[in-house]
């Protein structure tokens, strides 16, 4: 007879960097921008900022601990983010907007209601940092935001490389 603990031991459950985890964070980003809509590129960048806000002078403490070469997240995230957005849309938690400017994403009434149900510290931090992102970068043009990322990608996560050289 299979017990409940055996079921969980034999399942390969990977939540970290899954469409579910990234989709959950995306809900907070979009809700913080409401009623505005944004494209995939900006969502990728904002998700990076959400996780690594300490990379910015006077930014809030990062949601997760820093990892080496974390700037690589920006390169691989679009593929997973597309699945995350599809998952959130399938649950009617976000809206997709088709326009002459391309495909954009935005929160809807259910996004806010879902977020209101989240009462844990992690979700509160997601809300706080999402608001900070919107205040800091909401007025940036796409070109200005992309330039900021391009100028800083070599720095983000490379402090570990320099630390290892000092220790050797």
């Amino acid at each position: 007879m299979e017990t409940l603990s055996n079921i969980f031991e034999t399942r390969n459950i990977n939540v970290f960097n899954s469409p579910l985890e990234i989709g959950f964070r995306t809900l907070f980003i979009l809700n913080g921008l409401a009623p505005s809509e944004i494209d995939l590129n900006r969502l990728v960048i904002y998700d990076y900022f959400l996780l690594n806000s300490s990379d910015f002078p006077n930014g809030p403490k990062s949601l997760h601990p820093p990892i080496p070469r974390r700037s690589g997240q920006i390169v691989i995230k679009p593929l997973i983010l597309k699945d995350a957005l599809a998952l959130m849309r399938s649950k009617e938690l976000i809206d997709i907007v088709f326009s002459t400017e391309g495909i954009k994403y935005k929160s809807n009434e259910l996004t806010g209601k879902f977020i209101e149900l989240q009462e844990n510290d992690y979700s509160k931090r997601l809300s706080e940092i999402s608001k900070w992102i919107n205040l800091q970068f909401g007025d940036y043009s796409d070109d200005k935001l992309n330039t900021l990322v391009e100028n800083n990608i070599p720095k983000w996560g490379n402090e570990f490389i320099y630390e290892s050289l000092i220790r050797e």
Side-chain angles (χ1 to χ4, degrees), residues 81-137:
L81 187 55
K82 285 180 184 178
D83 290 341
L85 291 165
L87 176 62
M88 294 301 110
R89 177 64 190 113
S90 74
K91 305 304 177 195
E92 299 182 7
L93 291 170
I94 64 168
D95 289 336
I96 300 174
V97 179
F98 300 95
S99 72
T100 55
E101 297 174 0
I103 301 170
K104 296 197 176 187
Y105 305 90
K106 66 182 240 174
S107 65
N108 61 32
E109 188 177 331
L110 288 179
T111 313
K113 292 188 183 307
F114 180 81
I115 287 173
E116 286 174 16
L117 294 173
Q118 310 308 311
E119 297 179 350
N120 57 67
D121 290 340
Y122 186 80
S123 294
K124 289 175 186 170
R125 294 276 298 131
L126 282 169
S127 287
E128 291 167 9
I129 298 171
S130 292
K131 289 174 186 168
W132 172 82
I133 290 168
N134 191 36
L135 288 171
Q136 294 296 313
F137 307 103

Side-chain angles (χ1 to χ4, degrees), residues 1-19:
M1 179 173 200
E2 192 168 30
T3 66
L4 186 59
S5 66
N6 288 344
I7 291 170
F8 289 113
E9 288 172 9
T10 58
R11 290 172 115 185
N12 183 11
I13 300 174
N14 184 13
V15 176
F16 185 67
N17 274 335
S18 70

Side-chain angles (χ1 to χ4, degrees), residues 22-165:
I22 294 169
F24 184 75
R25 288 195 310 261
T26 300
L27 295 177
F28 287 85
I29 293 169
L30 293 175
N31 194 61
L33 295 170
S36 297
E37 52 198 46
I38 60 174
D39 65 10
L40 183 68
N41 183 60
R42 190 170 283 254
L43 270 173
V44 168
I45 293 169
Y46 279 12
D47 187 63
Y48 177 88
F49 292 175
L50 184 63
L51 293 176
N52 303 289
S53 52
S54 293
D55 282 350
F56 299 93
N58 303 316
K61 183 180 178 194
S62 291
L63 195 59
H64 294 176
I67 59 172
R69 296 187 178 100
R70 62 187 166 274
S71 60
Q73 295 170 1
I74 292 174
V75 176
I76 62 167
K77 192 75 55 114
L79 299 173
I80 303 168
L81 187 55
K82 285 180 184 178
D83 290 341
L85 291 165
L87 176 62
M88 294 301 110
R89 177 64 190 113
S90 74
K91 305 304 177 195
E92 299 182 7
L93 291 170
I94 64 168
D95 289 336
I96 300 174
V97 179
F98 300 95
S99 72
T100 55
E101 297 174 0
I103 301 170
K104 296 197 176 187
Y105 305 90
K106 66 182 240 174
S107 65
N108 61 32
E109 188 177 331
L110 288 179
T111 313
K113 292 188 183 307
F114 180 81
I115 287 173
E116 286 174 16
L117 294 173
Q118 310 308 311
E119 297 179 350
N120 57 67
D121 290 340
Y122 186 80
S123 294
K124 289 175 186 170
R125 294 276 298 131
L126 282 169
S127 287
E128 291 167 9
I129 298 171
S130 292
K131 289 174 186 168
W132 172 82
I133 290 168
N134 191 36
L135 288 171
Q136 294 296 313
F137 307 103
D139 291 336
Y140 278 40
S141 68
D142 289 342
D143 288 339
K144 185 175 180 181
L145 189 64
N146 288 332
T147 299
L148 172 72
V149 170
E150 288 168 12
N151 289 340
N152 286 286
I153 262 188
K155 299 177 208 170
W156 292 333
N158 286 336
E159 68 271 12
F160 294 98
I161 294 169
Y162 302 122
E163 181 181 324
S164 68
L165 292 175

